[in-house]
Structure formats: structure tokens, C-alpha cells
Amino acid sequence: MAPKHHPTPLSGGDRKALAKELGRSRAMTTILAGQAAEARAKGEALIRQADKLLCEAFNERLWSDGGPINPSPAIDQALNGGYPWLEIECSRCRTKRDVDLAGLRHPPTTFVHDLASRLRCSKCAKANRRPPATLLQLAQRPRQAAPET
């Protein structure tokens, strides 16, 4: 955007006053932009903390009540809250596995509890069975992989 043109006044006093007001305006612009950036950073930190607390509350409800809990955090809320992994268990063979929420092909607004019916066990799929997965918890990091024998 082109800067606004202010016609230069003819008298010297008016020119000085205009230059002074333009300087004040530019200084206020810098100050207000800095305050806006601070407020945005604080707001984003608060949203991140709220998403983290939502994920922790979901894990507690999931542990105490069992089964998929509605409402649950959305995928983007879980990622923003620092819980990018979902621990699931096959309802048939009891194989536990970690799912990277960032790698799923679902919209980021999909709720975590909706994933329970969509995630399937790859081990049972080889035996032509497709049992649904059971949600265990949201996790900040994947579990240690068990050594395969």
C-alpha cells in the first residue's frame, strides 16, 4: 500500500507541526504493533495451555470411565497441546500401538473419540479381520517399541 500523501503546508510553523504529528503517529504505530505482538503471544500461550489441559482431562476421563469419551479434543487441539500420539489397543488381539496424529489423513477438526471406529489393527487385517481399536490415551511421546522376536 502506498503511503498516504500529506500536502505540505505553506507556513513554517504548520510544516513543523505536521512533521511533529507524523513522527508521533509513526512512533505510536511501532508501540501499538509491539503491544499487539505481545498480546498475540500471550493469547497463543493461553490457548496452548488450554489445549494441554483439555488433553489431560480427556486422558483422566478415559482412564476412569473407559471407552471413547465425548467430547474429546480435536486432532489440532491435541497437537497444539503437546499430545501428538494416540495409544490404541486392538479389541481382538490386544496388540498396543501408537498412532501419530499429525500423520493421519483426517481433517484437523476431527475429534479424537471419532477415530476409535476408524482405526483398525494391521495385524488382524492380515487375517481378514477388521476389529475396531480401543483408545487408551493421548501421549506426548510414543511408547518404547518392544523388541520383535
Side-chain angles (χ1 to χ4, degrees):
M1 183 173 185
K4 184 175 180 182
H5 173 69
H6 297 283
T8 307
L10 296 177
S11 69
D14 290 341
R15 281 193 305 267
K16 289 178 187 176
L18 177 65
K20 186 177 182 181
E21 287 301 317
L22 287 174
R24 279 191 196 148
S25 175
R26 290 183 181 115
M28 275 308 285
T29 301
T30 305
I31 291 169
L32 292 175
Q35 289 176 350
E38 279 181 31
R40 182 172 305 280
K42 286 179 185 177
E44 288 172 355
L46 287 174
I47 290 171
R48 194 173 310 112
Q49 183 177 3
D51 289 342
K52 180 179 180 183
L53 292 173
L54 181 64
C55 292
E56 290 173 0
F58 175 73
N59 281 343
E60 290 296 323
R61 282 194 327 254
L62 195 62
W63 180 82
S64 64
D65 298 341
I69 305 297
N70 185 10
S72 65
I75 292 174
D76 58 349
Q77 289 175 323
L79 293 173
N80 189 38
Y83 286 84
W85 295 93
L86 177 64
E87 292 181 13
I88 62 171
E89 179 181 58
C90 176
S91 58
R92 181 177 173 269
C93 68
R94 303 291 179 216
T95 302
K96 294 182 181 178
R97 152 180 112 120
D98 297 322
V99 177
D100 183 12
L101 292 175
L104 292 178
R105 289 186 179 182
H106 294 284
T109 55
T110 303
F111 292 105
V112 171
H113 74 273
D114 289 339
L115 296 175
S117 62
R118 299 176 186 177
L119 297 173
R120 305 287 183 204
C121 177
S122 57
K123 186 177 175 183
C124 291
K126 293 176 185 173
N128 290 329
R129 291 188 167 75
R130 306 272 298 156
T134 303
L135 300 181
L136 297 179
Q137 71 175 358
L138 289 168
Q140 293 180 338
R141 62 184 65 83
R143 289 178 289 120
Q144 293 294 332
E148 297 187 21
T149 54

